[in-house]
């Protein structure tokens, strides 16, 4: 299962605009990405409501993952890992802040 850890750098955490930017980026990958923190079960990172409800605050470490069985036929493991890396960079950059 492809996994990446990231630190949320947006001052408001993943709320409102930063959450919307992140969710659009996840949706654009075409992958069923989950996001979680503190060992809790992941939520669907394509859902703005689920992402905002989880309260991913500034400075928290999150885990981005795609279950191997959820990889679409058009996507290799390497491509999924690359997509997660791009999402990690987004969460840790000013683009999502």
């Amino acid at each position: 299962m492809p996994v990446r850890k990231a630190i949320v750098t947006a001052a408001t955490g993943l709320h409102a605009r930063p959450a919307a930017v992140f969710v659009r980026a996840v949706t654009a990958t075409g992958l069923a990405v989950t996001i979680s923190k503190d060992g809790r079960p992941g939520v669907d990172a394509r859902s703005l409501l689920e992402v905002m409800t989880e309260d991913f605050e500034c400075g928290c470490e999150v885990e981005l993952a795609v279950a191997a069985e959820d990889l679409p036929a058009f996507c290799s493991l390497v491509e999924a890992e690359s997509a997660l890396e791009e999402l990690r960079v987004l969460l840790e950059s000013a683009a999502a802040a």
Side-chain angles (χ1 to χ4, degrees):
M1 169 167 61
V3 174
R4 285 289 183 285
K5 294 200 183 277
I7 304 296
V8 176
T9 60
T12 60
L14 286 182
H15 293 283
R17 184 185 168 281
V21 169
F22 174 70
V23 168
R24 277 194 300 274
V26 171
T27 302
T29 69
L31 299 172
V33 176
T34 60
I35 183 171
S36 63
K37 70 174 185 176
D38 300 331
R40 298 194 311 220
V43 299
D44 186 349
R46 299 168 296 182
S47 168
L48 183 59
L49 182 60
E50 287 188 40
V51 169
M52 290 180 62
T53 302
E54 278 299 301
D55 193 31
F56 297 109
E57 70 277 353
C58 180
C60 78
E61 181 179 64
V62 297
E63 183 175 279
L64 305 170
V66 178
E69 62 270 9
D70 290 337
L71 280 177
F74 68 82
C75 186
S76 71
L77 188 58
V78 171
E79 290 169 322
E81 289 173 347
S82 176
L84 289 181
E85 179 62 17
E86 290 175 17
L87 294 171
R88 181 198 66 76
V89 169
L90 176 65
L91 285 176
E92 294 184 350
S93 75

